[in-house]
Protein backbone atom coordinates (compact mmCIF):
# COMPACT_ATOMS: atom_id res chain seq x y z
CA UNK A 1 0.00 0.00 0.00
CA UNK A 2 1.35 3.45 -0.92
CA UNK A 3 1.30 5.87 2.02
CA UNK A 4 2.30 9.50 1.78
CA UNK A 5 4.03 9.60 5.18
CA UNK A 6 7.58 9.20 6.50
CA UNK A 7 8.35 5.58 7.42
CA UNK A 8 10.47 4.77 10.48
CA UNK A 9 10.05 2.44 13.45
CA UNK A 10 6.94 3.43 15.39
CA UNK A 11 5.88 6.03 12.79
CA UNK A 12 2.12 6.62 12.88
CA UNK A 13 0.48 6.57 9.42
CA UNK A 14 -2.92 8.15 8.85
CA UNK A 15 -5.15 6.45 6.26
CA UNK A 16 -7.49 8.19 3.86
CA UNK A 17 -11.09 6.94 3.62
CA UNK A 18 -10.37 4.81 0.57
CA UNK A 19 -7.43 3.11 2.21
CA UNK A 20 -9.31 2.56 5.48
CA UNK A 21 -12.23 1.06 3.60
CA UNK A 22 -9.91 -1.17 1.58
CA UNK A 23 -8.10 -2.55 4.66
CA UNK A 24 -11.09 -2.92 6.96
CA UNK A 25 -13.97 -3.74 4.62
CA UNK A 26 -12.33 -5.26 1.54
CA UNK A 27 -9.37 -7.11 3.05
CA UNK A 28 -11.28 -7.46 6.36
CA UNK A 29 -8.09 -6.99 8.35
CA UNK A 30 -8.40 -7.05 12.15
CA UNK A 31 -6.65 -4.74 14.62
CA UNK A 32 -3.03 -5.82 15.08
CA UNK A 33 -2.83 -7.45 11.66
CA UNK A 34 -0.11 -6.06 9.40
CA UNK A 35 0.18 -4.77 5.83
CA UNK A 36 3.22 -3.87 3.74
CA UNK A 37 3.51 -0.15 2.96
CA UNK A 38 5.90 2.03 0.94
CA UNK A 39 6.22 5.76 0.40
CA UNK A 40 8.70 5.78 -2.51
CA UNK A 41 11.59 6.95 -0.31
CA UNK A 42 12.08 4.80 2.83
CA UNK A 43 11.82 1.27 1.49
CA UNK A 44 9.05 -1.22 2.34
CA UNK A 45 7.74 -1.49 5.90
CA UNK A 46 5.47 -3.87 7.78
CA UNK A 47 2.79 -1.76 9.48
CA UNK A 48 0.25 -2.74 12.10
CA UNK A 49 -3.41 -1.79 11.75
CA UNK A 50 -5.19 0.02 14.59
CA UNK A 51 -8.99 0.20 14.36
CA UNK A 52 -11.33 2.40 16.40
CA UNK A 53 -15.04 1.62 16.04
CA UNK A 54 -15.79 0.54 12.48
CA UNK A 55 -13.12 2.58 10.78
CA UNK A 56 -9.38 2.06 10.71
CA UNK A 57 -7.65 4.58 12.98
CA UNK A 58 -4.41 4.15 11.13
CA UNK A 59 -1.19 2.18 10.86
CA UNK A 60 1.99 2.04 12.91
CA UNK A 61 5.23 1.14 11.09
CA UNK A 62 6.81 -1.86 12.80
CA UNK A 63 9.84 -3.02 10.81
CA UNK A 64 11.48 -2.40 7.43
CA UNK A 65 11.11 -5.44 5.19
CA UNK A 66 12.93 -4.14 2.08
CA UNK A 67 15.55 -1.43 1.53
CA UNK A 68 14.66 1.40 -0.86
CA UNK A 69 15.97 0.67 -4.34
CA UNK A 70 16.89 3.41 -6.79
CA UNK A 71 14.70 3.16 -9.90
CA UNK A 72 16.34 2.49 -13.22
CA UNK A 73 17.00 5.82 -14.91
CA UNK A 74 14.60 4.93 -17.72
CA UNK A 75 12.43 7.71 -19.14
CA UNK A 76 9.40 6.52 -21.08
CA UNK A 77 8.64 9.35 -23.52
CA UNK A 78 5.38 9.04 -25.42
CA UNK A 79 2.78 10.96 -27.31
CA UNK A 80 -0.26 10.84 -25.01
CA UNK A 81 -3.32 8.88 -26.05
CA UNK A 82 -6.95 9.36 -25.08
CA UNK A 83 -8.03 8.41 -21.56
CA UNK A 84 -8.45 4.64 -21.18
CA UNK A 85 -5.51 3.87 -23.44
CA UNK A 86 -3.37 6.41 -21.64
CA UNK A 87 -4.28 4.77 -18.32
CA UNK A 88 -3.24 1.43 -19.78
CA UNK A 89 0.01 2.83 -21.20
CA UNK A 90 0.97 4.48 -17.90
CA UNK A 91 0.32 1.27 -15.94
CA UNK A 92 2.34 -0.86 -18.38
CA UNK A 93 5.24 1.60 -18.45
CA UNK A 94 5.40 1.52 -14.63
CA UNK A 95 5.15 -2.28 -14.52
CA UNK A 96 7.92 -2.45 -17.11
CA UNK A 97 10.28 -0.37 -15.00
CA UNK A 98 9.99 3.19 -16.31
CA UNK A 99 11.40 5.58 -13.68
CA UNK A 100 9.88 8.66 -15.34
CA UNK A 101 6.93 9.22 -17.66
CA UNK A 102 7.37 12.05 -20.14
CA UNK A 103 4.33 13.01 -22.26
CA UNK A 104 5.49 14.43 -25.61
CA UNK A 105 3.79 16.94 -27.87
CA UNK A 106 4.65 15.67 -31.34
CA UNK A 107 3.30 17.07 -34.63
CA UNK A 108 0.59 14.37 -34.74
CA UNK A 109 -0.21 14.11 -31.03
CA UNK A 110 -4.00 14.05 -30.89
CA UNK A 111 -4.96 13.84 -27.21
CA UNK A 112 -5.72 17.06 -25.40
CA UNK A 113 -3.58 18.07 -22.43
CA UNK A 114 -2.81 15.07 -20.25
CA UNK A 115 -4.32 14.89 -16.79
CA UNK A 116 -1.16 14.58 -14.67
CA UNK A 117 -3.14 13.75 -11.50
CA UNK A 118 -4.81 10.84 -13.32
CA UNK A 119 -1.42 9.69 -14.61
CA UNK A 120 -0.01 9.90 -11.09
CA UNK A 121 -2.82 7.83 -9.55
CA UNK A 122 -2.46 5.20 -12.29
CA UNK A 123 1.28 5.09 -11.62
CA UNK A 124 0.72 4.61 -7.86
CA UNK A 125 -1.83 1.85 -8.53
CA UNK A 126 0.60 0.08 -10.87
CA UNK A 127 3.45 0.41 -8.36
CA UNK A 128 1.26 -1.04 -5.56
CA UNK A 129 0.17 -3.89 -7.84
CA UNK A 130 3.65 -4.89 -8.98
CA UNK A 131 5.47 -4.26 -5.71
CA UNK A 132 7.97 -1.66 -6.83
CA UNK A 133 9.08 0.75 -4.14
CA UNK A 134 9.91 3.86 -6.12
CA UNK A 135 7.20 5.99 -7.67
CA UNK A 136 7.84 7.04 -11.24
CA UNK A 137 8.21 10.74 -11.80
CA UNK A 138 5.26 12.12 -13.78
CA UNK A 139 6.58 14.96 -15.92
CA UNK A 140 4.77 17.89 -17.50
CA UNK A 141 4.06 17.58 -21.22
CA UNK A 142 6.91 18.91 -23.35
CA UNK A 143 7.34 19.71 -27.01
CA UNK A 144 9.21 16.95 -28.85
CA UNK A 145 12.03 19.27 -30.02
CA UNK A 146 12.51 20.62 -26.49
CA UNK A 147 12.64 17.08 -25.11
CA UNK A 148 15.32 16.06 -27.61
CA UNK A 149 17.33 19.23 -26.97
CA UNK A 150 17.17 18.51 -23.22
CA UNK A 151 18.58 14.98 -23.55
CA UNK A 152 21.80 14.46 -21.61
CA UNK A 153 24.71 13.41 -23.81
CA UNK A 154 25.05 10.06 -22.03
CA UNK A 155 21.35 9.16 -22.21
CA UNK A 156 20.85 6.21 -24.53
CA UNK A 157 17.69 6.83 -26.56
CA UNK A 158 15.76 3.85 -27.94
CA UNK A 159 13.82 5.51 -30.74
CA UNK A 160 10.92 3.26 -31.79
CA UNK A 161 10.39 4.15 -35.41
CA UNK A 162 7.69 2.40 -37.38
CA UNK A 163 9.60 3.37 -40.52
CA UNK A 164 12.87 1.77 -39.35
CA UNK A 165 14.00 -1.16 -41.51
CA UNK A 166 12.68 -4.35 -39.94
CA UNK A 167 15.55 -5.88 -38.01
CA UNK A 168 15.90 -7.76 -34.78
CA UNK A 169 15.46 -5.07 -32.13
CA UNK A 170 17.33 -7.16 -29.58
CA UNK A 171 20.42 -7.20 -31.76
CA UNK A 172 20.22 -3.46 -32.39
CA UNK A 173 19.86 -2.82 -28.68
CA UNK A 174 22.50 -5.28 -27.57
CA UNK A 175 24.91 -3.73 -30.03
CA UNK A 176 24.10 -0.24 -28.82
CA UNK A 177 23.84 -0.80 -25.11
CA UNK A 178 26.55 -3.31 -24.45
CA UNK A 179 29.18 -2.37 -27.00
CA UNK A 180 30.90 0.94 -27.32
CA UNK A 181 28.61 2.89 -25.08
CA UNK A 182 30.39 2.08 -21.81
CA UNK A 183 27.38 0.46 -20.25
CA UNK A 184 24.98 3.35 -20.51
CA UNK A 185 23.22 3.97 -17.23
CA UNK A 186 20.58 6.41 -18.49
CA UNK A 187 17.90 5.42 -20.98
CA UNK A 188 14.90 6.84 -22.77
CA UNK A 189 12.37 4.91 -24.81
CA UNK A 190 10.55 7.13 -27.32
CA UNK A 191 7.22 6.10 -28.87
CA UNK A 192 5.20 8.26 -31.25
CA UNK A 193 1.51 9.08 -31.66
CA UNK A 194 -1.14 7.15 -33.54
CA UNK A 195 -0.23 9.10 -36.66
CA UNK A 196 3.46 8.31 -36.30
CA UNK A 197 6.47 10.61 -36.36
CA UNK A 198 7.11 13.20 -39.06
CA UNK A 199 10.49 13.21 -40.80
CA UNK A 200 11.71 16.34 -39.03
CA UNK A 201 11.14 14.56 -35.71
CA UNK A 202 13.03 11.52 -36.96
CA UNK A 203 15.96 13.68 -38.01
CA UNK A 204 15.96 15.56 -34.71
CA UNK A 205 16.10 12.52 -32.45
CA UNK A 206 18.43 10.57 -34.75
CA UNK A 207 20.92 13.42 -34.41
CA UNK A 208 21.24 12.60 -30.68
CA UNK A 209 24.63 10.91 -30.41
CA UNK A 210 23.40 7.93 -28.41
CA UNK A 211 20.25 7.17 -30.35
CA UNK A 212 19.34 3.66 -31.46
CA UNK A 213 16.58 3.58 -34.07
CA UNK A 214 14.62 0.38 -33.42
CA UNK A 215 12.06 -1.51 -35.42
CA UNK A 216 9.57 -3.44 -33.28
CA UNK A 217 8.87 -5.83 -36.13
CA UNK A 218 7.05 -5.89 -39.48
CA UNK A 219 3.62 -4.91 -38.17
CA UNK A 220 2.46 -1.45 -37.17
CA UNK A 221 1.73 -1.64 -33.44
CA UNK A 222 -0.72 0.65 -31.68
CA UNK A 223 1.18 3.13 -29.53
CA UNK A 224 0.19 1.44 -26.27
CA UNK A 225 1.25 -1.95 -27.64
CA UNK A 226 4.54 -0.42 -28.79
CA UNK A 227 5.09 0.78 -25.21
CA UNK A 228 4.97 -2.75 -23.83
CA UNK A 229 6.99 -4.21 -26.70
CA UNK A 230 9.73 -1.57 -26.50
CA UNK A 231 10.04 -1.63 -22.72
CA UNK A 232 10.06 -5.43 -22.66
CA UNK A 233 12.96 -5.46 -25.11
CA UNK A 234 14.90 -2.83 -23.16
CA UNK A 235 14.35 -4.71 -19.90
CA UNK A 236 15.47 -7.98 -21.47
CA UNK A 237 18.72 -6.40 -22.64
CA UNK A 238 19.29 -4.60 -19.33
CA UNK A 239 18.25 -7.64 -17.34
CA UNK A 240 16.91 -5.30 -14.72
N1 LIG B 1 2.18 5.94 -38.80
C1 LIG B 1 1.71 4.64 -38.33
C2 LIG B 1 0.19 4.70 -38.17
O1 LIG B 1 -0.35 5.80 -38.27
O2 LIG B 1 -0.40 3.65 -37.98
C3 LIG B 1 2.43 4.29 -37.07
C4 LIG B 1 2.09 4.94 -35.78
S1 LIG B 1 2.16 3.78 -34.48
C5 LIG B 1 0.47 3.48 -34.26
C6 LIG B 1 2.58 4.70 -33.06
C7 LIG B 1 4.03 4.58 -32.61
O3 LIG B 1 4.29 3.26 -32.15
C8 LIG B 1 5.06 4.84 -33.69
O4 LIG B 1 5.31 6.21 -33.86
C9 LIG B 1 6.27 4.11 -33.12
O5 LIG B 1 6.91 4.88 -32.11
C10 LIG B 1 5.64 2.89 -32.49
N2 LIG B 1 5.59 1.75 -33.41
C11 LIG B 1 4.49 1.14 -33.87
N3 LIG B 1 4.84 0.09 -34.67
C12 LIG B 1 6.19 0.04 -34.69
C13 LIG B 1 7.17 -0.80 -35.33
N4 LIG B 1 6.80 -1.84 -36.09
N5 LIG B 1 8.48 -0.53 -35.15
C14 LIG B 1 8.88 0.52 -34.39
N6 LIG B 1 8.01 1.36 -33.74
C15 LIG B 1 6.69 1.12 -33.90
Amino acid sequence: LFVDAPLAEGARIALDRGQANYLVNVLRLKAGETVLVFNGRDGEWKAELGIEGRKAAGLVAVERTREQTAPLDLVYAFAPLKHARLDYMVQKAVEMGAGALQPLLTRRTQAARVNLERMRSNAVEAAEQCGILSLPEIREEVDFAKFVKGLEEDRLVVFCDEDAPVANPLEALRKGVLEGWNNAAKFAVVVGPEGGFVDQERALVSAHEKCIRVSLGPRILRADTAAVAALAIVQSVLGD
Side-chain angles (χ1 to χ4, degrees), residues 15-32:
L15 292 169
D16 64 33
R17 272 160 55 97
Q19 290 173 322
N21 176 57
Y22 175 63
L23 296 182
V24 177
N25 302 324
V26 175
L27 296 187
R28 296 194 176 290
L29 293 184
K30 304 279 174 274

Side-chain angles (χ1 to χ4, degrees), residues 29-52:
L29 293 184
K30 304 279 174 274
E33 286 192 281
T34 58
V35 282
L36 294 175
V37 296
F38 71 106
N39 62 5
R41 301 180 302 277
D42 303 325
E44 179 187 74
W45 283 74
K46 193 188 278 183
E48 219 168 78
L49 183 63
I51 300 180
E52 267 158 29

Side-chain angles (χ1 to χ4, degrees), residues 146-200:
K146 202 159 163 241
F147 166 73
V148 175
K149 279 202 188 77
L151 285 167
E152 308 93 322
E153 245 172 53
D154 59 349
R155 187 170 292 278
L156 181 56
V157 173
V158 178
F159 171 46
C160 299
D161 185 357
E162 68 278 13
D163 285 358
V166 178
N168 179 334
L170 273 175
E171 286 322 307
L173 261 177
R174 261 200 198 100
K175 190 172 170 321
V177 169
L178 302 184
E179 283 161 22
W181 278 340
N182 51 26
N183 296 329
K186 293 178 185 161
F187 302 88
V189 172
V190 178
V191 167
E194 283 313 89
F197 287 107
V198 295
D199 286 344
Q200 293 93 314

Side-chain angles (χ1 to χ4, degrees), residues 206-224:
S206 305
H208 176 69
E209 197 217 329
K210 293 185 178 241
C211 174
I212 307 178
R213 189 172 172 233
V214 166
S215 159
L216 297 173
R219 289 170 297 284
I220 294 287
L221 310 177
R222 285 177 61 145
D224 37 354

Side-chain angles (χ1 to χ4, degrees), residues 4-203:
D4 194 3
L7 290 173
E9 194 166 343
R12 306 190 73 76
I13 305 156
L15 292 169
D16 64 33
R17 272 160 55 97
Q19 290 173 322
N21 176 57
Y22 175 63
L23 296 182
V24 177
N25 302 324
V26 175
L27 296 187
R28 296 194 176 290
L29 293 184
K30 304 279 174 274
E33 286 192 281
T34 58
V35 282
L36 294 175
V37 296
F38 71 106
N39 62 5
R41 301 180 302 277
D42 303 325
E44 179 187 74
W45 283 74
K46 193 188 278 183
E48 219 168 78
L49 183 63
I51 300 180
E52 267 158 29
R54 279 184 51 73
K55 73 179 185 38
L59 295 168
V60 177
V62 177
E63 61 170 327
R64 193 198 311 263
T65 46
R66 273 195 292 164
E67 290 298 324
Q68 184 63 33
T69 47
L72 182 65
D73 186 345
L74 169 55
V75 178
Y76 179 64
F78 59 99
L81 301 161
K82 297 235 177 355
H83 301 313
R85 290 187 49 215
L86 179 61
D87 296 350
Y88 172 87
M89 182 189 253
V90 166
Q91 296 210 357
K92 299 312 140 199
V94 171
E95 290 168 43
M96 304 298 282
L101 296 175
Q102 172 61 70
L104 291 176
L105 279 179
T106 65
R107 180 81 60 77
R108 295 182 181 145
T109 297
Q110 290 147 357
R113 291 195 65 73
V114 286
N115 176 335
L116 296 175
E117 255 332 289
R118 186 179 170 129
M119 275 180 67
R120 194 163 287 114
S121 69
N122 273 303
V124 169
E125 204 180 301
E128 287 177 328
Q129 182 269 326
C130 62
I132 54 174
L133 299 183
S134 41
L135 280 188
E137 185 197 339
I138 305 291
R139 294 183 181 171
E140 292 275 343
E141 231 162 356
V142 71
D143 175 78
F144 186 82
K146 202 159 163 241
F147 166 73
V148 175
K149 279 202 188 77
L151 285 167
E152 308 93 322
E153 245 172 53
D154 59 349
R155 187 170 292 278
L156 181 56
V157 173
V158 178
F159 171 46
C160 299
D161 185 357
E162 68 278 13
D163 285 358
V166 178
N168 179 334
L170 273 175
E171 286 322 307
L173 261 177
R174 261 200 198 100
K175 190 172 170 321
V177 169
L178 302 184
E179 283 161 22
W181 278 340
N182 51 26
N183 296 329
K186 293 178 185 161
F187 302 88
V189 172
V190 178
V191 167
E194 283 313 89
F197 287 107
V198 295
D199 286 344
Q200 293 93 314
E201 291 165 340
R202 285 192 174 84

